[in-house]
Amino acid sequence: MTAIQNPRSGQLGSGKIAPQYKRSGGSKGNFEMLAWLFMRLSGVVLVVLIFGHLFVNLLVGEGIHAIDFGFVAGKWADPFWQFWDLAMLWLAMLHGTNGVRTIINDYAEKDATRFWLKVVLYAASAVIVILGTLVIFTFNPCPVVDGVQLPGGFCPAP
Amino acid sequence: MWSWVGHRITGVVIFFFLLVHVLDTSLVRVSPEAYTAVIGAYKNPLMALGETGLVAAIIFHAFNGLRVIAVDFWKKGAKYQRQMLWVVLALWLVTFAGFAIRHLSLALGGH
């Protein structure tokens, strides 16, 4: 006589789903779901940050002709723009890195290829985020060049 | 399908520009001259066209991204996804035209 097996979806009467049939769980946790959610939340914020960035830097006044060292210095003398650019840097880099990670997972078929492409991706992203963050916070908007204080309304009088 | 392809391509393009853009901006930390010299490269007419193309990609990615969010979170999102694509393309056209006219006349016009 053949024994009838328990349902694969769980122990009889327990109401639990056997581990191998769970959609989440295991060592990966719900990382993919959080990444999915992050893409949408950061996306909304980035639309505002990047549209504002493009408008202020390219469409107002002289536009691109106004951009030089003094322009950046003037913006980063203000904590508002420091924070704006920092948020843009981190959100855009995480959003972009996760997007490229998804594309690598989709198109690189060999395990080793996927692995190494992602190693390169994460290394490049880490370098860019750390570099950008350091630049925003260690930047001196009022450098002294050849013993002369660069002019700038935001700098202390020489 | 094609909006999905467009979203991926524009996303990758924007990501690679972002890497370069953080590097060029980092030159402010090297010296005022270094930054001003490299940023000067963005001001020639060929680069102005490139910037305009990049912004075209950004505007599409932005509006289509908002459409993806609407499809995922709005109850009727999936039902209206096709109509929303037309809204995205219309908004893209208007926003891009405004940007291109302003940016190209500034960048290519006499200074």
Side-chain angles (χ1 to χ4, degrees):
Chain A
M1 183 178 158
T2 311
I4 298 171
Q5 293 185 337
N6 288 340
R8 295 192 301 182
S9 56
Q11 299 300 313
L12 253 189
S14 70
K16 285 183 182 165
I17 298 170
Q20 65 267 39
Y21 299 110
K22 277 188 174 172
R23 290 187 177 181
S24 67
S27 61
K28 288 194 96 178
N30 49 3
F31 173 79
E32 292 299 340
M33 198 273 274
L34 288 173
W36 177 91
L37 188 62
F38 172 79
M39 291 307 263
R40 277 132 190 91
L41 295 177
S42 62
V44 173
V45 179
L46 280 166
V47 171
V48 176
L49 291 176
I50 293 176
F51 276 27
H53 176 74
L54 289 170
F55 184 79
V56 169
N57 289 24
L58 294 180
L59 300 182
V60 171
E62 290 181 87
I64 195 168
H65 290 296
I67 300 179
D68 58 10
F69 178 83
F71 179 86
V72 180
K75 278 184 90 177
W76 285 350
D78 184 344
F80 175 82
W81 288 113
Q82 279 188 312
F83 178 76
W84 185 293
D85 287 359
L86 185 77
M88 200 161 54
L89 171 74
W90 278 78
L91 290 177
M93 284 302 300
L94 289 173
H95 188 102
T97 302
N98 191 51
V100 174
R101 179 185 72 91
T102 305
I103 290 176
I104 292 172
N105 282 340
D106 278 357
Y107 298 114
E109 294 186 4
K110 287 184 190 158
D111 285 352
T113 312
R114 266 203 313 280
F115 175 78
W116 286 109
L117 282 174
K118 283 190 269 186
V119 167
V120 172
L121 171 69
Y122 296 153
S125 299
V127 167
I128 294 292
V129 168
I130 293 168
L131 175 72
T133 304
L134 286 176
V135 168
I136 291 174
F137 285 116
T138 66
F139 172 70
N140 174 13
C142 303
V144 176
V145 178
D146 299 330
V148 180
Q149 171 77 64
L150 282 189
F154 42 85
C155 294
Chain B
M1 165 69 192
W2 288 110
S3 69
W4 176 84
V5 173
H7 205 73
R8 294 209 146 178
I9 294 173
T10 53
V12 170
V13 168
I14 295 163
F15 182 69
F16 281 103
F17 169 75
L18 176 60
L19 299 182
V20 175
H21 188 48
V22 173
L23 291 175
D24 66 55
T25 304
S26 297
L27 289 171
V28 294
R29 195 68 186 77
V30 176
S31 78
E33 293 78 16
Y35 179 76
T36 302
V38 168
I39 215 69
Y42 281 109
K43 298 182 188 180
N44 81 52
L46 207 60
M47 289 298 280
L49 291 178
E51 289 142 28
T52 308
L54 177 74
V55 170
I58 291 172
I59 297 171
F60 174 79
H61 198 88
F63 288 149
N64 192 56
L66 294 176
R67 170 174 161 265
V68 169
I69 293 171
V71 169
D72 286 346
F73 290 109
W74 178 36
K75 203 168 20 171
K76 295 179 180 168
K79 186 180 170 192
Y80 290 111
Q81 63 87 14
R82 181 174 289 273
Q83 287 90 330
M84 285 195 291
L85 181 57
W86 287 110
V87 174
V88 165
L89 293 175
L91 285 174
W92 175 83
L93 190 67
V94 171
T95 315
F96 175 64
F99 175 85
I101 291 168
R102 174 76 179 151
H103 180 62
L104 289 176
S105 61
L106 281 168
L108 303 179
H111 176 52

